[in-house]
């Protein structure tokens, strides 16, 4: 899959602009480092950028994920016009568990300045549709979403997007310091109406 040509779009809502999901670029390093300074984001995600250098390293890792077909990470930006990207508002990712191509994991975060505007559910909904369409031929039938049990906002996003709660995941410090929830979405199952 050509990393440089993938561009997913989410339509505008009455209260929020359209979103574009595109692969991360090297020039996103400053925006990523800025977003990563948010203490709430740092509480929920294990991989954050402390400065421009660590952001650049993280961006190289995302590009490598695309090249190996194991991790498809997208910057979520507002769409300003037909060809113009606006500010960074979030991140979403599809993690494939090769060689098992039937199950993959999704993840996301929203930048502090964009919270409460429906960024995460709209981006996750778009990523879910893309994943089930693009990887259907590889046998992808199930997407899992894992978050810390006390992250109620992520629980709401999962439910809005048709990911049903499946099980409790015990803590596994240091990478996953608290108990977690596992939600799942199965291809072909009836999903809730598109997020608006």
């Amino acid at each position: 899959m050509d990393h440089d040509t993938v561009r997913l779009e989410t339509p505008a809502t009455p209260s929020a602009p359209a979103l574009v999901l595109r692969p991360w670029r090297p020039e996103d390093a400053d925006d990523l480092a800025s977003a990563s300074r948010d203490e709430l984001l740092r509480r929920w995600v294990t991989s954050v950028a402390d400065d421009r250098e660590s952001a650049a390293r993280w961006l190289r890792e995302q590009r490598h994920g695309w090249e190996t077909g194991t991790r498809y990470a997208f910057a979520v930006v507002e769409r300003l016009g037909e060809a113009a990207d606006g500010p960074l508002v979030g991140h979403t990712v599809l993690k494939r568990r090769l060689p098992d191509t039937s199950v993959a994991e999704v993840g996301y975060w929203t930048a502090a300045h964009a919270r409460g505007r429906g960024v995460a559910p709209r981006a996750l909904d778009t990523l879910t549709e893309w994943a089930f369409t693009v990887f259907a031929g590889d046998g992808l039938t199930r997407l899992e979403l894992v978050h810390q049990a006390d992250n109620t906002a992520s629980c709401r996003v999962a439910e809005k997007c048709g990911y049903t709660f499946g099980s409790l995941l015990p803590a596994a410090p240091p990478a996953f310091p608290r108990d977690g929830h596992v939600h799942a979405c199965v291809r072909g199952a009836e999903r809730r109406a598109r997020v608006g």
Side-chain angles (χ1 to χ4, degrees):
M1 182 174 316
D2 185 0
H3 171 274
D4 297 317
T5 61
V6 177
R7 184 176 173 91
L8 312 177
E9 298 204 16
T10 300
T13 69
S15 61
L19 301 175
V20 173
L21 283 65
R22 58 152 175 85
W24 287 90
R25 302 172 183 156
E27 57 268 27
D28 293 323
D30 288 333
D31 290 337
L32 175 61
S34 178
S36 295
R37 290 185 192 103
D38 172 42
E39 288 304 315
L40 187 58
L41 178 64
R42 295 174 80 82
R43 174 182 165 92
W44 303 127
V45 300
T46 57
S47 178
V48 293
D50 293 315
D51 52 30
R52 190 176 203 294
E53 183 179 312
S54 59
R57 184 173 41 255
W58 186 87
L59 292 169
R60 286 190 299 273
E61 291 168 4
Q62 305 320 299
R63 176 110 188 172
H64 180 72
W66 278 84
E67 292 166 353
T68 61
T70 58
R71 184 177 178 93
Y72 298 91
F74 293 88
V76 181
V77 297
E78 291 181 348
R79 189 178 75 189
L80 293 181
E82 288 304 312
D85 288 351
L88 174 70
V89 293
H91 160 77
T92 190
V93 62
L94 173 73
K95 301 176 234 179
R96 298 191 66 207
R97 299 175 183 170
L98 302 178
D100 179 5
T101 57
S102 66
V103 180
E105 184 179 337
V106 295
Y108 50 85
W109 53 256
T110 302
H113 69 273
R115 289 192 188 118
R117 296 181 8 211
V119 170
R122 293 190 300 141
L124 177 59
D125 191 58
T126 298
L127 179 72
T128 300
E129 293 295 323
W130 177 79
F132 280 142
T133 300
V134 170
F135 297 106
D138 289 348
L140 180 64
T141 58
R142 178 182 171 94
L143 294 175
E144 293 182 345
L145 184 159
V146 178
H147 67 81
Q148 292 178 7
D150 57 347
N151 188 342
T152 57
S154 272
C155 239
R156 287 191 304 270
V157 169
E159 291 166 359
K160 280 183 182 179
C161 294
Y163 283 73
T164 57
F165 175 76
S167 62
L168 189 65
L169 183 67
F176 209 74
R178 296 173 189 84
D179 288 346
H181 286 175
V182 178
H183 296 258
C185 182
V186 177
R187 188 179 78 218
E190 184 176 329
R191 293 181 59 219
R192 294 183 184 195
R194 296 203 51 98
V195 179

